[in-house]
Amino acid sequence: PTALPTAVAWLGYGGLLPFAALAGIGWWAPGTPLWGTALLAYGAVILSFVGALHWAFAMMHSAAHAKPVSTVYAWSVVPSLIAWVALLVSPEVGTTLLLCGLLAHYLQDLRLATALALPRWYLPLRLQLTVVASLCLGSVYFLPVAGGVQGISA
């Protein structure tokens, strides 16, 4: 299919709401307890989720071609490991890891899109979701807010 399914659009764009809300809180009320930790944790959950997509891609590719796709399986667990480490280090380092993980995962999606015959709507959607999530994560951790970002706990 070439058109983005309605349910996928609602779920995908709806998944950006916590990013936007938490980033908004970070800008509007940077001293609010736990907003930074919640944003970092949500980013880690989402990075793990997109990694799981690659596990599904590998299963489908294996079934269609009657052979295992070990590198795709191996890659599918990397985002979860990055996300886990991102929660164990300082918020700035963790955010950097999440941003790098989101970018690396999108680049892997680009490589796999043709090989796995992903739907035409998948890459444009992933790009949009990745850009917005990355802007929300990066904006509150790396742009100055009224004398510095506050409310971020390690």
Side-chain angles (χ1 to χ4, degrees):
T2 58
L4 177 63
T6 302
V8 173
W10 276 101
L11 293 168
Y13 296 124
L16 293 175
L17 292 175
F19 280 115
L22 291 166
I25 292 169
W27 279 94
W28 181 64
T32 304
L34 297 179
W35 71 266
T37 302
L39 179 60
L40 196 64
Y42 187 69
V45 167
I46 293 302
L47 183 58
S48 292
F49 173 80
V50 296
L53 293 173
H54 283 240
W55 187 276
F57 295 160
M59 287 190 303
M60 293 179 67
H61 185 73
S62 296
H65 295 88
K67 63 180 179 178
V69 186
S70 58
T71 57
V72 180
Y73 280 117
W75 169 254
S76 72
V77 299
V78 170
S80 294
L81 295 173
I82 292 170
W84 175 57
V85 172
L87 295 175
L88 299 175
V89 296
S90 73
E92 293 79 12
V93 172
T95 300
T96 302
L97 286 171
L98 291 178
L99 292 172
C100 290
L102 288 169
L103 175 61
H105 194 77
Y106 179 73
L107 294 174
Q108 181 68 0
D109 281 347
L110 287 173
R111 285 190 283 276
L112 292 177
T114 303
L116 300 181
L118 298 176
R120 293 182 64 141
W121 53 260
Y122 179 76
L123 283 177
L125 176 67
R126 279 282 294 120
L127 178 60
Q128 293 167 5
L129 298 177
T130 297
V131 166
V132 173
S134 296
L135 288 173
C136 289
L137 278 166
S139 71
V140 295
Y141 284 100
F142 297 117
L143 297 178
V145 179
V149 177
Q150 301 171 8
I152 303 171
S153 60

